[in-house]
Amino acid sequence: MSGFRGGYLGKILRIDLTRKKHLTQPLPPELAYNYIGGYGVGGRILYDEVPPWVGAFDPQNLLIFATGPVNGTPTPVAGRHSVVSKSPLTGFFGDANAGGFWGAELKAAGYDLVVITGRAPKPTYVFIRDGEVRFGDASPYWGMDARASDRSLKRDLGDAKIQVSNIGQAGENLVRFAGILTDEANRIAGRCGLGAVMGFMKLKAVAVRGEGKVPIAHPEELRKISGEVIKFVKEDKNVQMFSKGGTPLYFGPLWQLGDTPGFNYTAKQLNPEGLSWPGGYDAILSGTRSCYLCPIGCRRISTVKEGAYSFEPNVEGPEYETVSMLGSNCGVTDAKAVAKANDLCNLFGLDTISTGGTIAFAMECFEKGLLTKEDTDGVDLRFGNAEAMIKMIEKIAFRDGFGDILAEGSRRAAKIIGKGAEEYAIQVKGVELAAHDPRVFQGGGPHYACAITGGRHTEGITIDWEILGRPRDSLGLPKPTDSPEGKGVAAKVIEDWTAFISSAGWCWFADINAAYMVEENFVKTFNAVTGLNLTLKDALLAGERIINIRKAFNVKHGATRADDKLPKRLLEEKGRTGKVVDLSKTLDEYYEARGWDKNTSKPTKETLIKLGLTDVAKEIWG
Amino acid sequence: MSGFRGGYLGKILRIDLTRKKHLTQPLPPELAYNYIGGYGVGGRILYDEVPPWVGAFDPQNLLIFATGPVNGTPTPVAGRHSVVSKSPLTGFFGDANAGGFWGAELKAAGYDLVVITGRAPKPTYVFIRDGEVRFGDASPYWGMDARASDRSLKRDLGDAKIQVSNIGQAGENLVRFAGILTDEANRIAGRCGLGAVMGFMKLKAVAVRGEGKVPIAHPEELRKISGEVIKFVKEDKNVQMFSKGGTPLYFGPLWQLGDTPGFNYTAKQLNPEGLSWPGGYDAILSGTRSCYLCPIGCRRISTVKEGAYSFEPNVEGPEYETVSMLGSNCGVTDAKAVAKANDLCNLFGLDTISTGGTIAFAMECFEKGLLTKEDTDGVDLRFGNAEAMIKMIEKIAFRDGFGDILAEGSRRAAKIIGKGAEEYAIQVKGVELAAHDPRVFQGGGPHYACAITGGRHTEGITIDWEILGRPRDSLGLPKPTDSPEGKGVAAKVIEDWTAFISSAGWCWFADINAAYMVEENFVKTFNAVTGLNLTLKDALLAGERIINIRKAFNVKHGATRADDKLPKRLLEEKGRTGKVVDLSKTLDEYYEARGWDKNTSKPTKETLIKLGLTDVAKEIWG
């Protein structure tokens, strides 16, 4: 008896790699209800158990794989799981999430969360099958790319239906922006460098397999809403367009808006045609695919059969972020080259956003003369040189020569290079900015500056509401105007909302594409699955609590107001639209809306107590 | 022109291992005068340059080798240099110091400090010779013990007069309490795990050699005071006794006082005879040795020619701390076994205090049934089993089997072992307590609890004044009484004083043995060397500033009041003298004397401003 009526299985699997031990703990309902799931529940555990003196590369760091209640249920567009850990890139709270089938399979295997600690004496994998846990010797897979190791593990375990989360060579080599792959290296929990934590732990893979079903509190009600959502998805012109074009669909329009970065976030123009869909992207597209029970199916399948950019046919193709970061942001306009770079990142296990951001940074340093060929091992690291970019991806993954410097991420690399290179590292808290330029939407200023996990795009950017015309009436936001006023508040509200749906287990695209029509339908679905009776206001409050527990982690670990800052370039240099980020009003507005002290950035005692975080208030304020 | 009149050379050498670059910077006189030298100047640099998001194992961590103005001058008893870094053991400020000749030689080579950052792509050594810097391939030495690598480097560089600071296998293997050795692995900057930082940086050794002289502002005056000190040292009964017996001289009397720990700080008795000098220690003693121009010469040379405990003759013998921590605290009473264990720690590069503390912790866990032979790879880890202790030292250095767990130090190991093992980890902030039991002297309570770098004995313990009858009138302390009153204040004052003399470059034994007769003579000597005109009050204020900059580093990096705590055992279980530590009065008294807020442990704004740390106040308090 788990004490839950649906959605949650009520079980946490604890794994100690040092001692090869495991145990099953109940998931306390209070923890689940207050923090929803995913990076919310995982976030609270990280806050409680990882003190400031524990580093990211430390056997007392935790690596938490976390699902939410809607994962593994028939809920549409709910195939994402989260990973949570202290980040080697930021030194603060880290999380990342990936689509696919792994989260659903973990629940079928009987667990809501897997909380891993310790460091294995030699390469190890963990296999969780219907509540049983096995530690295996991963020495044969160590050194393999993530796709080969995924397939080898399935073969050696004799079951093609196993789902694998694993790392490639980048994670093994502690590249600070290595991610954790799944689905035969086709999906990645990319950001914050959590693959390096897995590498430090000498954990090559977590394989899961199960036959269990997730109980649903009100199956009829779930069937009804799900049916409506699926019907809408299949009929709505916009969502259908997204099904067809996937995220690369955004590339053309967002480039035009000036939102998509080019040449390391400078104002330089290029012809976006070669990377657009429809357009140059057509040449690589060979199919589409869905995550677990997703009616949208936005995943791109790509193929390049011949030439220098060829790779295994019909593997995952580059998403919008990748097209932008390894394409336009590196001055590369050939979709085939980007597809090749994307595939290498997947094989080695590199976050394409940080990889693109870091290489673009190095390209600018090179063009400005801060780096020479002598520094780059002879690589002519100019913008637009696709071969150089591809070479550098490999050098990063293996920490070879100059790649060893870039493997530290742009913030650390800039420090090593010196000569004012910091100016060209477009990052927040060490995490390279995603491909949405906050010079284009005013909510992006405070959102990125105050971001708990750095330059992310899935934590509630306001662009859909501010620029793309998506109404957010249900969240209490008016129609946006040109004025900065209200944009700080909007950033706060959309972040809270995003924290709720992401922690529950939904894909961000369920929300951003309005697949559920209105926000209330998420809450209704959540209630149908769990048997709870949340209102939309409750959901927002839970989201706010999730934001604050992660923020409190950062504060405990030494983050201050000085960490809440944007790259100078975005504040001083005009982008392609001729604008800079103006924080003069929105930042204070954001801190005030958050109830965070604007001098120290700390959540005030009142804010924490309002959210029921009295113990946290005591810890932070004494 | 350095701008200095004496003592300081005015030069900092900056080394970037990632890029194999170096440059020479001036040492700003303001920095030198405010922070004296050693871990004071090094501490301010660490505070300024290592932000909270940088971990101990991070190429942006710094490893700072720092001398003070009296190092390398004819000043007596001044052969110690400091090493400073973010500690892998505490996650906070780390420093350690070692005697020998290395600090004097660095100054002869032309530098006050060497500030190292980055991470070499392959094992590297740095050779500094008369202002010239060379990076060398240390692959041939990687895997060697510290003594062999020191000698090989001297041989390969063709100069027997080179002084080497290096690591053994423990540092290479990132053992969290690895130290940095010097003088052919005979002296060690042992505490806080700074050898592991060096290992992470892939820096095997820093070799130095030079012909330069350190200018003296008032050579006549220095000659005069030095002459008086040397005369006193040669004539004084107590100092002569210390010359003869070295630190092991303390073992017998301190054991009787209950200050020396036994059986992991429990009340269990043993016969100290086998470890005492005179006594069992005689069987291993084969000579004595001096550090750079030291008239005391307290270093022990030991030899065990035959049997299981034999080792190379005439290497450094165990000091008091080692005799206690690897002897009585592990229930081992055979001096030969302790000498062998000591030599292995020196070869592998392990801090004997943390090694002894961690093994004693594991022995207690074993005897209490928290660990079985299955856990310990078959080793019968009982108190008193010297073979088991020696085996475990090797396993720790190579992170072999259970040694991999103990290599994390007792705090982390306790977490891994679970089952309440934390209770038996006798550590503060992760650093195992040195062999002075605060249940015996009341100033030890707040001193250890609030210690910035954990369980150290060289940061100003009050035992000499409280128990051993050393007057501290010059520091404004009255004759001690039995009452706890005033002991918190005394801890603060003696810490400030110790920070001054240590940062200046003196050996702590110059002070603790009253070799300079009265405290004023240190200040006079300091003035003669530097040409400054400090009063004793100025010196104490500088010491206080040094304490506070290191404390501020901890606060920035997430330390809170909760980190200022003693092991439960010391508060609740009576030691051999039947006493527990009573913090009820002394802790508040200490915080008040320090001007640290007792709820958060932070230095108040007023305290920081009083010390001229206005910028720090702003950073901490906004």
Side-chain angles (χ1 to χ4, degrees), chain B residues 13-196:
Chain B
L13 175 64
R14 293 270 183 173
I15 289 179
D16 175 355
L17 288 168
T18 311
R19 309 208 76 203
K20 277 197 187 179
K21 306 227 163 184
H22 66 91
L23 66 88
T24 298
Q25 286 185 327
L27 170 66
E30 201 201 334
L31 178 64
Y33 297 157
N34 279 322
Y35 298 92
I36 306 299
Y39 65 63
V41 170
R44 178 72 217 203
I45 293 173
L46 199 78
Y47 177 87
D48 284 338
E49 300 187 19
V50 176
W53 53 267
V54 170
F57 295 147
D58 195 311
Q60 285 197 225
N61 193 4
L62 299 180
L63 183 70
I64 305 173
F65 289 85
T67 66
V70 301
N71 290 131
T73 71
T75 304
V77 207
R80 290 188 97 83
H81 68 277
S82 290
V83 192
V84 172
S85 187
K86 182 162 177 174
S87 160
L89 202 49
T90 71
F92 298 131
F93 192 94
D95 65 64
N97 59 77
F101 301 84
W102 192 91
E105 199 69 29
L106 175 68
K107 289 186 79 174
Y111 294 102
D112 298 295
L113 285 90
V114 186
V115 180
I116 306 175
T117 189
R119 186 183 201 192
K122 59 179 184 177
T124 296
Y125 70 83
V126 171
F127 181 30
I128 306 164
R129 191 186 168 107
D130 281 318
E132 287 193 15
V133 179
R134 199 162 97 198
F135 293 89
D137 177 13
S139 306
Y141 317 115
W142 202 254
M144 272 187 191
D145 69 59
R147 188 168 297 139
S149 95
D150 184 319
R151 289 172 179 166
S152 302
L153 205 51
K154 281 187 184 122
R155 183 197 63 211
D156 297 347
L157 293 171
D159 185 348
K161 287 184 180 168
I162 285 166
Q163 296 296 333
V164 176
S165 269
N166 69 359
I167 53 172
Q169 299 95 331
E172 296 176 8
N173 295 329
L174 309 189
V175 174
R176 280 183 201 268
F177 46 90
I180 300 173
L181 294 110
T182 186
D183 215 355
E184 301 198 350
N186 283 315
R187 294 272 106 193
I188 181 166
R191 311 237 62 195
C192 297
L194 308 189

Side-chain angles (χ1 to χ4, degrees), chain B residues 334-535:
Chain B
D334 178 350
K336 289 184 181 177
V338 173
K340 173 70 181 175
N342 175 66
D343 192 54
L344 285 177
C345 286
N346 284 345
L347 291 170
F348 298 145
L350 287 167
D351 172 32
T352 56
I353 301 177
S354 280
T355 303
T358 301
I359 293 177
F361 151 80
M363 285 174 162
E364 182 163 3
C365 290
F366 189 88
E367 293 208 346
K368 289 219 156 70
L370 281 63
L371 292 170
T372 65
K373 272 193 178 180
E374 205 178 309
D375 297 307
T376 60
D377 312 321
V379 177
D380 188 41
L381 205 54
R382 282 179 200 288
F383 282 116
N385 185 344
E387 283 78 10
M389 178 178 81
I390 286 169
K391 181 81 199 151
M392 210 42 77
I393 289 171
E394 194 176 333
K395 289 172 79 69
I396 288 170
F398 292 93
R399 282 190 173 272
D400 172 52
F402 184 63
D404 192 32
I405 294 175
L406 296 189
E408 295 295 314
S410 62
R411 178 166 64 171
R412 286 177 171 82
K415 194 81 196 291
I416 294 166
I417 292 166
K419 307 172 193 171
E422 270 98 342
E423 206 172 311
Y424 311 123
I426 309 303
Q427 50 79 26
V428 172
K429 295 188 179 68
V431 174
E432 288 70 22
L433 222 63
H436 297 282
D437 190 329
R439 288 173 293 198
V440 172
F441 52 109
Q442 288 162 334
H447 172 69
Y448 277 119
C450 303
I452 291 158
T453 59
R456 309 279 298 278
H457 66 293
T458 55
E459 305 263 298
I461 53 172
T462 56
I463 192 168
D464 64 313
W465 166 77
E466 250 190 88
I467 307 289
L468 304 177
R470 157 102 205 246
R472 287 294 195 179
D473 307 28
S474 297
L475 303 185
L477 298 181
K479 222 174 134 59
T481 64
D482 277 349
S483 154
E485 212 175 321
K487 303 288 167 67
V489 173
K492 184 260 182 198
V493 171
I494 294 177
E495 286 170 6
D496 290 348
W497 173 245
T498 307
F500 167 73
I501 59 155
S502 300
S503 296
W506 271 288
C507 176
W508 181 54
F509 287 115
D511 181 55
I512 208 85
N513 286 297
Y516 275 62
M517 295 158 277
V518 289
E519 286 82 356
E520 283 83 351
N521 280 334
F522 286 99
V523 183
K524 278 186 194 166
T525 307
F526 179 88
N527 290 338
V529 169
T530 60
L532 295 172
N533 276 304
L534 259 53
T535 62

Side-chain angles (χ1 to χ4, degrees), chain A residues 161-221:
Chain A
K161 289 184 178 165
I162 284 167
Q163 296 296 333
V164 176
S165 270
N166 68 0
I167 52 172
Q169 299 93 332
E172 295 176 8
N173 295 330
L174 310 189
V175 175
R176 280 184 202 266
F177 46 92
I180 299 173
L181 294 111
T182 186
D183 215 355
E184 301 196 349
N186 283 317
R187 294 272 107 193
I188 182 167
R191 310 235 64 195
C192 298
L194 308 190
V197 173
M198 203 158 156
F200 175 83
M201 290 177 158
K202 290 253 186 290
L203 177 64
K204 182 69 179 178
V206 181
V208 291
R209 181 79 180 92
E211 303 284 352
K213 291 257 176 277
V214 180
I216 307 294
H218 306 302
E220 255 323 306
E221 174 71 8

Side-chain angles (χ1 to χ4, degrees), chain A residues 525-546:
Chain A
T525 306
F526 180 88
N527 289 337
V529 169
T530 60
L532 295 172
N533 277 303
L534 258 53
T535 61
L536 198 137
K537 209 178 141 198
D538 297 333
L540 283 167
L541 197 72
E544 188 175 2
R545 188 177 300 115
I546 292 165

